[in-house]
Amino acid sequence: MGRSHLLPSATLKAMFLALFAMWILPEPALAKHARVTRHYKFNIGMKNVTRLCQTKSIVTVNGQFPGPRIIAREGDRLLIKVVNHVKYNVTLHWHGVRQLRSGWADGPAYITQCPIQTGQSYVYNFTVTGQRGTLFWHAHISWLRATLYGPIVILPKRHASYPFPQPFKEVPMIFGEWWKADTEKIINQALQTGAAPNISDAFTINGLPGPLYNCSAKDTFKLKVKPGKTYLLRMINAALNDELFFSIANHTLTVVETDAVYVKPIKTKVVLITPGQTTNVLLKAKHKSPNASFLIAARPYATGPASFDNTTTAGVLEYEQPNNANKNKKLPLLKPALPKFNDTNFAMQFSKKIRSLATAKFPAKVPRKVDRRFFFTVGLGLSPCPQNQTCQGPNNTMLAASVNNVSFAQPNVALLQAHFFNKSKGVYTTDFPANPPFKFNYTGTPPSNIMVSSGTRAVALPFNASVEVVMQDTSIIGAESHPLHLHGFNFFVVGQGFGNFDPSKDPAKFNLVDPAERNTVGVPSGGWVAIRFLADNPGGGLVHALPSGSTHKLGLEDGVDCE
């Protein structure tokens, strides 16, 4: 497989950086609490699904769309057998699961494993350690994650309670995107031409577009509630490309958890959730059944020059009526007010409100000292068009996402496999730059040369090193928000702001007391974000913008290619 150039954030949004913690940890002592081993079998197969009055064949797990829910408790072991019955190579990623000492099970293709080929199977074997809350799983190769995704619910250990009022009911709400066309053809064409992929035709809630799209009224998510009861909405953004504003008409939501980490409660009318993030909110139903129904709505927050799907997915919140009152009466449907699609100030303010609990029971273990510092410029650039090919970027070039001017080149061997067998030569190098190749006004006038380099370059981190990464958006081609996900680690969002990061002034304003602890964060459009984490998980940790175009399976032969 040759090197592929990556496309912009609003399109493919994919750049990669492999982070290797090179030392092996000793085996942990046996847990004090008895753990349960939970078995799942995922059959990957095709299924005909109709949306927007068109039927197409999509890749599913067990014939379900969205896919099946995984339920476990903190400390449980999961054995998930994935059997591939489709023509595509497949891998699954358990997004947000720390994978402590189980890096082989993380799932990104060509990073921790080779893909599961047609007719083959692979067992993902990992333990959920020190985590509880909402995460999700999805395909991690090409664009199969457009339909291959589902929720992960991690309950607290038995007899442990939530640090917020016990809800009457818990409801998963997973946002997605829907294309009428074949998504594999869309992304393959984009990779060949270097242009942006076609935008989606709809957003979905639990696989349903809702009544605001043509021919979609019957495909509407409905949330039925009892007056006075409290509901926990487990929200997941599994969309490929778009951050989403979310609101329920005439109701206030209380954010209590993000990325499976409890947070200080935040009351809000609107929630912003980026691709790859999860957010748990409490919804308190009104004490009496109102004579109305309420629209549940989500639409994109979009920055940058690229076109986007400027539509709204919707569901309906309905109250249980006493004694079947209003049973046959059509109630008025109230609509929520959502921010403008490019409301960057709202996005920044909402992000800054999220704070860890930072209690004795749920501490925020923020690294105070820093062993390794990195400054990453994140943005777009251009790559040369391959010989004898026509490309659709400026002046017959290909659009490419990059970090510090390096665009990821996908290898033929899984990076973790190459490291494990000590056969990294010719697969990857460990010279990924800690800083951009030259300084410029990152959010101002871009440099004249915006061509990027291409390579499979990694950072080698000593075990238990404390790491600080400042990620700076750039205005090259256009400033835009970049959701970034770190595999194998949680990190603390210690600072963020607009404009260029100032290393002499901005660190003094870092929050080292109760910063948000996350696995996915948005680099602000025309701004920067600073994160810190402890490199305490040996293996290959991938940093990439959402979505990534990859998936994975481990080839067990010594040093063989994935092909």
Side-chain angles (χ1 to χ4, degrees):
M1 178 173 287
R3 294 181 175 182
S4 60
H5 298 281
L6 304 180
L7 302 177
S9 166
T11 61
L12 180 59
K13 287 185 178 173
M15 64 82 186
F16 304 85
L17 164 68
L19 297 176
F20 285 93
M22 294 292 193
W23 297 348
I24 303 299
L25 291 175
E27 286 297 314
L30 292 175
K32 294 180 181 179
H33 303 276
R35 71 178 183 182
V36 173
T37 298
R38 300 178 186 266
H39 296 262
Y40 289 85
K41 186 174 182 181
F42 279 17
N43 286 302
I44 311 294
M46 305 301 295
K47 183 179 178 64
N48 286 338
V49 174
T50 302
R51 296 289 185 271
L52 310 178
C53 272
Q54 289 192 17
T55 301
K56 72 171 186 175
S57 185
I58 66 171
V59 185
T60 64
V61 167
N62 299 344
Q64 300 177 42
F65 173 68
R69 187 187 328 178
I70 288 178
I71 300 178
R73 288 193 181 274
E74 179 186 350
D76 284 355
R77 179 189 181 197
L78 288 169
L79 291 174
I80 305 165
K81 184 176 182 178
V82 178
V83 185
N84 184 9
H85 300 286
V86 301
K87 65 181 179 180
Y88 307 107
N89 287 345
V90 172
T91 64
L92 297 183
H93 170 51
W94 320 96
H95 190 105
V97 175
R98 285 289 317 275
Q99 298 292 0
L100 290 166
R101 305 167 185 85
S102 56
W104 300 112
D106 192 40
Y110 302 101
I111 305 299
T112 62
Q113 68 171 99
C114 296
I116 307 169
Q117 298 181 355
T118 304
Q120 300 298 310
S121 65
Y122 182 66
V123 177
Y124 290 92
N125 179 356
F126 58 91
T127 299
V128 180
T129 303
Q131 292 181 280
R132 78 295 300 166
T134 303
L135 297 170
F136 73 113
W137 60 265
H138 61 80
H140 209 295
I141 192 166
S142 190
W143 264 22
L144 294 183
R145 63 171 287 189
T147 58
L148 276 182
Y149 60 80
I152 300 175
V153 175
I154 307 169
L155 300 172
K157 291 179 179 179
R158 291 196 179 276
H159 311 301
S161 60
Y162 295 131
F164 48 80
Q166 180 72 26
F168 171 72
K169 188 177 181 181
E170 301 182 5
V171 182
M173 294 180 65
I174 188 161
F175 305 108
E177 284 182 272
W178 182 264
W179 280 261
K180 293 178 181 178
D182 183 333
T183 51
E184 289 304 286
K185 291 181 180 178
I186 290 173
I187 187 56
N188 288 338
Q189 181 184 24
L191 287 170
Q192 283 183 350
T193 64
N198 294 338
I199 62 173
S200 55
D201 296 292
F203 295 102
T204 58
I205 301 174
N206 290 350
L208 304 171
L212 303 184
Y213 296 97
N214 291 332
C215 196
S216 189
K218 63 181 178 58
D219 293 324
T220 299
F221 168 73
K222 292 186 178 181
L223 176 59
K224 298 186 178 183
V225 300
K226 294 177 181 287
K229 299 295 186 181
T230 298
Y231 294 79
L232 180 68
L233 307 183
R234 295 181 175 270
M235 296 165 49
I236 300 162
N237 189 349
L240 268 78
N241 295 322
D242 288 291
E243 302 173 68
L244 295 171
F245 293 121
F246 172 86
S247 185
I248 302 177
N250 288 33
H251 287 74
T252 298
L253 305 170
T254 304
V255 179
V256 292
E257 176 202 303
T258 59
D259 290 359
V261 178
Y262 299 134
V263 299
K264 292 181 170 67
I266 306 165
K267 290 188 178 296
T268 183
K269 294 284 189 183
V270 178
V271 170
L272 174 64
I273 183 168
T274 81
Q277 287 185 340
T278 62
T279 302
N280 282 5
V281 299
L282 293 176
L283 167 68
K284 181 67 182 291
K286 299 179 185 298
H287 288 289
K288 293 185 178 179
S289 295
N291 291 318
S293 295
F294 303 90
L295 203 70
I296 302 168
R299 76 176 183 207
Y301 161 56
T303 59
S307 59
F308 65 98
D309 180 357
N310 192 15
T311 63
T312 303
T313 183
V316 179
L317 173 65
E318 298 177 341
Y319 276 78
E320 184 181 277
Q321 299 293 330
N323 302 319
N324 290 322
N326 299 318
K327 183 177 180 180
N328 298 315
K329 181 181 176 183
K330 188 173 183 180
L331 299 175
L333 181 61
L334 305 183
K335 297 181 179 180
L338 289 165
K340 293 180 179 179
F341 75 87
N342 59 352
D343 195 340
T344 296
N345 286 325
F346 178 92
M348 175 68 79
Q349 293 308 312
F350 181 82
S351 180
K352 284 185 173 180
K353 288 178 184 177
I354 297 172
R355 301 292 183 93
S356 296
L357 281 183
T359 61
K361 189 174 182 180
F362 302 105
K365 297 179 180 179
V366 191
R368 295 303 183 102
K369 68 176 183 68
V370 175
D371 299 316
R372 296 287 303 273
R373 282 187 167 86
F374 298 90
F375 181 73
F376 289 165
T377 52
V378 182
L380 308 178
L382 302 176
S383 287
C385 189
Q387 279 189 329
N388 303 318
Q389 188 172 321
T390 301
C391 294
Q392 296 180 10
N395 300 316
N396 196 39
T397 60
M398 304 181 78
L399 294 168
S402 70
V403 176
N404 285 352
N405 212 48
V406 179
S407 188
F408 180 78
Q410 184 169 279
N412 293 324
V413 178
L415 301 186
L416 185 58
Q417 176 185 350
H419 167 63
F420 183 81
F421 290 115
N422 197 27
K423 294 197 173 185
S424 61
K425 187 175 182 180
V427 179
Y428 68 88
T429 60
T430 56
D431 60 348
F432 192 92
N435 294 282
F438 58 90
K439 294 181 179 180
F440 61 98
N441 183 3
Y442 305 114
T443 55
T445 303
S448 56
N449 182 3
I450 58 173
M451 300 300 288
V452 303
S453 63
S454 178
T456 311
R457 302 169 69 180
V459 172
L461 292 173
F463 173 63
N464 258 351
S466 54
V467 182
E468 178 181 288
V469 182
V470 176
M471 293 174 283
Q472 172 75 59
D473 182 36
T474 70
S475 59
I476 298 175
I477 298 182
E480 60 182 335
S481 176
H482 303 270
L484 285 150
H485 171 53
L486 177 59
H487 288 236
F489 302 90
N490 279 0
F491 53 77
F492 293 96
V493 183
V494 296
Q496 54 193 311
F498 290 124
N500 296 337
F501 175 73
D502 187 335
S504 63
K505 295 180 180 178
D506 287 326
K509 296 177 280 188
F510 284 179
N511 176 9
L512 304 180
V513 178
D514 61 351
E517 182 182 349
R518 311 208 64 142
N519 63 61
T520 304
V521 67
V523 179
S525 177
W528 56 272
V529 64
I531 66 171
R532 288 186 181 182
F533 66 96
L534 192 67
D536 59 352
N537 190 13
L542 178 67
V543 179
H544 67 88
L546 275 293
S548 83
S550 46
T551 58
H552 4 295
K553 176 205 164 189
L554 176 63
L556 297 179
E557 295 84 2
D558 186 355
V560 299
D561 283 0
C562 288
E563 298 303 322

